[in-house]
Amino acid sequence: MKYLFFTNTPAQVHQYRRAVARLLDRGHEVLVLARDYGCTEALLDYYDVPYRLYGRAETAKSSLFRELPKHYARIAVEALRYGPDCVFGRGSYAALAGAAARAPVVLIDDSETTHLDHALSKPLTDAFLTPHTFEKNLGADHYEFRGFTELAYLHPDAYEPASEIREELGVGEDEPYAIVRFNAFGSHHDVGQAGFSPEKRRRLVEALAERATVFVSDEGDDLNVAETPARPFDFHPALLHDALAEADLLVADTQTMVTEAALLGTPAVRSNSFVGDDDMGNFVALERHGLVYNLREFDAVLDAATDLLDDEDADERWRNLRDGFVADKVNLTEVLLGVAENVGALERGYALDRVEGLTRRGTDGSRAVAPGPETVRSDGGRR
């Protein structure tokens, strides 16, 4: 069989790299079509993933929309040339590739806010796979798995932290450190959204630096880290999860790294304009379990972050919460392999109900697995 995967972001490299390696080991042909965005290509090279670039995008939103027509054209050509038996990815890129190659399309999605992308890709998609916390109904071909997309690489069965990461970072064995992640808000699902202002970024770093060594990962390179009491996270991006697992705290206005921190048992504070009564289901679930603070008010962010750094028991408490949370969650890589082995069912119009770990979402939009009871979030909003 020939499989085509799409990696539009660094997180998607991690999401698929283990499934790609396993399929190659089983004798299948695999190709990844990648967008040159952030550290995506560096990760593909690091993990020795077979790939071709279909285009690039800078962190500014204008870059994405300017390049979009060229991306679509290149994708169609590459898909026709490769001739896959199945396409895995997210959104209209993967859907277009499947249509061009006349191959089944499986989209894995965890963002309810990408309304235009869902509208464009839905007619060309054979199956949508989403976390069980996903708030939106994508129709009769919508399946859910118990867990998050990040569990394809951070599930306890898949991830083992590196013991020498503190030496790599240059921090002492007992030296507390925090990671701060600033988003560029350059993706299509970030249109109209925002995070920390430049002034708040500086105040946040200065407050954390009074209690811990601070590493800053700034996607848009908007903050001059040299003018702050922090250090840039300028290590190879493949070390990020190891650094995050050992950190005392993550504060971010982005999405993926917050989920990753929670699944690694690291306290996380998230603040951006997505936070509120219509927030994405995965972050509501993580907060319900006590793993994440979702806060809009900056003063609340400062209070929560500094309190966590002052709490000597936070690390052990968060690890215990994480262990309880992931105990009944799937390793998404195993689910993806199960789907890949049942591509014939998609071609014949059959369901994927035979795949272990997948359940069809109710045709009326009802979840097969309820995400949990109503709860009051840490910023006072009610679900």
Side-chain angles (χ1 to χ4, degrees):
M1 298 283 286
K2 299 177 71 174
Y3 298 99
L4 180 64
F5 288 80
F6 276 81
T7 60
N8 302 324
T9 66
Q12 290 165 22
V13 176
H14 291 297
Q15 181 179 322
Y16 295 124
R17 62 182 173 83
R18 291 179 180 272
V20 168
R22 296 271 295 278
L23 289 169
L24 289 170
D25 287 343
R26 295 178 182 183
H28 299 289
E29 292 185 48
V30 184
L31 175 65
V32 169
L33 281 184
R35 182 173 65 192
D36 181 8
Y37 178 80
C39 60
T40 299
E41 190 172 12
L43 289 172
L44 290 166
D45 288 332
Y46 182 88
Y47 292 112
D48 197 24
V49 176
Y51 73 94
R52 296 178 194 153
L53 294 177
Y54 67 78
R56 67 183 305 273
E58 300 169 359
T59 54
K61 297 182 182 71
S62 58
S63 170
L64 176 64
F65 293 115
R66 183 176 64 249
E67 297 292 326
L68 200 59
K70 289 185 284 187
H71 289 176
Y72 282 146
R74 180 70 181 273
I75 285 168
V77 170
E78 292 286 358
L80 283 169
R81 178 186 301 166
Y82 181 62
D85 296 299
C86 185
V87 179
F88 288 89
R90 178 181 299 206
S92 57
Y93 289 137
L96 172 64
R102 297 184 178 180
V105 175
V106 180
L107 301 187
I108 299 89
D109 201 344
D110 63 354
S111 178
E112 297 95 328
T113 62
T114 54
H115 303 299
L116 178 59
D117 224 16
H118 290 151
L120 292 173
S121 59
K122 190 173 180 180
L124 306 174
T125 301
D126 295 271
F128 284 99
L129 314 185
T130 71
H132 67 291
T133 56
F134 195 79
E135 298 280 358
K136 192 174 181 180
N137 178 27
L138 296 175
D141 299 315
H142 184 172
Y143 297 82
E144 61 187 31
F145 53 89
R146 189 166 184 80
F148 299 141
T149 58
E150 291 82 1
L151 285 170
Y153 53 98
L154 294 181
H155 191 278
D157 294 341
Y159 174 74
E160 184 174 345
S163 58
E164 71 281 0
I165 188 61
R166 282 185 171 270
E167 182 179 347
E168 291 277 357
L169 298 177
V171 295
E173 189 64 31
D174 298 318
E175 181 179 351
Y177 72 88
I179 297 176
V180 178
R181 170 66 169 177
F182 296 130
N183 195 0
F185 290 90
S187 298
H188 61 85
H189 55 265
D190 292 328
V191 173
Q193 305 296 337
F196 295 118
S197 67
E199 186 266 338
K200 289 177 179 177
R201 292 182 176 196
R202 185 175 298 278
R203 284 180 57 194
L204 173 64
V205 169
E206 290 174 349
L208 298 183
E210 294 177 0
R211 292 167 169 82
T213 299
V214 179
F215 292 96
V216 173
S217 172
D218 184 4
E219 186 180 39
D221 290 325
D222 297 320
L223 179 70
N224 188 344
V225 179
E227 295 180 353
T228 73
R231 296 166 55 184
F233 190 90
D234 54 5
F235 308 92
H236 194 284
L239 298 178
L240 181 59
H241 298 134
D242 295 328
L244 198 54
E246 187 70 12
D248 293 86
L249 175 70
L250 170 75
V251 182
D253 59 9
T254 186
Q255 318 290 7
T256 301
M257 274 185 64
V258 173
T259 305
E260 291 172 338
L263 296 177
L264 290 166
T266 298
V269 179
R270 167 178 169 261
S271 182
N272 56 40
S273 56
F274 287 104
V275 174
D277 287 335
D278 295 320
D279 205 350
M280 288 170 273
N282 55 332
F283 295 107
V284 175
L286 289 170
E287 187 167 46
R288 180 182 292 117
H289 200 78
L291 287 166
V292 166
Y293 288 95
N294 296 310
L295 303 167
R296 289 192 74 135
E297 297 300 323
F298 183 68
D299 287 343
V301 172
L302 287 181
D303 288 343
T306 53
D307 285 350
L308 284 167
L309 287 177
D310 290 338
D311 185 351
E312 295 181 356
D313 299 323
D315 180 69
E316 182 179 0
R317 189 166 67 253
W318 248 257
R319 299 300 168 101
N320 290 335
L321 287 169
R322 184 278 312 273
D323 290 345
F325 183 76
V326 302
D328 64 344
K329 304 302 186 293
V330 301
N331 179 345
L332 182 58
T333 293
E334 299 297 333
V335 174
L336 295 177
L337 292 172
V339 172
E341 291 173 348
N342 283 275
V343 169
L346 286 172
E347 291 179 323
R348 294 187 294 272
Y350 300 158
L352 291 177
D353 301 274
R354 71 183 73 181
V355 176
E356 185 175 357
L358 275 188
T359 307
R360 186 189 290 269
R361 177 68 68 92
T363 54
D364 60 352
S366 61
R367 291 190 178 96
V369 183
E374 181 182 62
T375 186
V376 176
R377 297 197 317 273
S378 59
D379 66 345
R382 182 176 292 275
R383 295 296 302 185

